[in-house]
Amino acid sequence: AGGFTTAQISGSKYIEVWESDDLVNWSEQRHVKVSSDFAGNTWAPEAFWSDELDAFVVFWASNLYPTASAADRTGVTYNRMMYAVTDDFITFSEPKIWADVQRGAGRGLIDSSIAEEDGVYYRFTKDEASMTIREEKSTDLLATYAGALPGTTGAADEWTLIKERVASGLPNGE
């Protein structure tokens, strides 16, 4: 009930976890809270193994609010990319903001994915302002930014832009 708006104001703060040693037989589902009470949703989670941290970095998109009470929220904010660290998918660090840039009314950054090559992390993230993908790089997987999208210059351990609007203009439009 309430559709997309309600889902962003008072949706799930959990991820669902199953485990398997062979990708055939699976454990029972675990419902694990990763978002804070100030989040309205926990969307599109992914996990990335970090050799450097000897742990998984789990990341997702969340709208954040100034109140923990969903009943007191008067409208949708915008999605930030969040993360938490775990080595067992049972205990997680406190969630932290990974990327926080408002891209328009109710729009932010969502749906990140990570790849690593030779100590450099490459992050692909949907920018809701253009509904296209940004590619960024950093030598620090947990580097953060807020307020403005990074440009093409910066220290190696900060996220810097490689390309905006990746795949824009393909036959499927946006």
Side-chain angles (χ1 to χ4, degrees), residues 67-137:
T67 176
S69 171
D72 294 334
R73 298 172 184 164
T74 58
V76 173
T77 58
Y78 61 95
N79 278 292
R80 288 92 163 160
M81 285 305 304
M82 309 291 295
Y83 77 88
V85 178
T86 183
D87 62 1
D88 59 8
F89 284 89
I90 296 169
T91 304
F92 289 78
S93 67
E94 288 295 315
K96 295 186 179 172
I97 297 173
W98 204 21
D100 180 354
V101 181
Q102 187 169 5
R103 301 297 293 146
R107 295 183 176 185
L109 302 170
I110 63 172
D111 300 344
S112 288
S113 195
I114 290 286
E116 183 270 336
E117 183 177 9
D118 297 328
V120 178
Y121 299 97
Y122 297 88
R123 178 168 65 186
F124 297 85
T125 300
K126 184 177 181 183
D127 178 351
E128 291 187 302
S130 60
M131 299 301 177
T132 60
I133 307 300
R134 293 177 53 85
E135 181 184 7
E136 302 165 337
K137 68 178 180 175

Side-chain angles (χ1 to χ4, degrees), residues 15 41-47 58-61 81 110-113:
I15 62 171
N41 55 303
T42 304
W43 284 356
E46 285 195 29
V58 179
F59 45 93
W60 64 91
M81 285 305 304
I110 63 172
D111 300 344
S112 288
S113 195

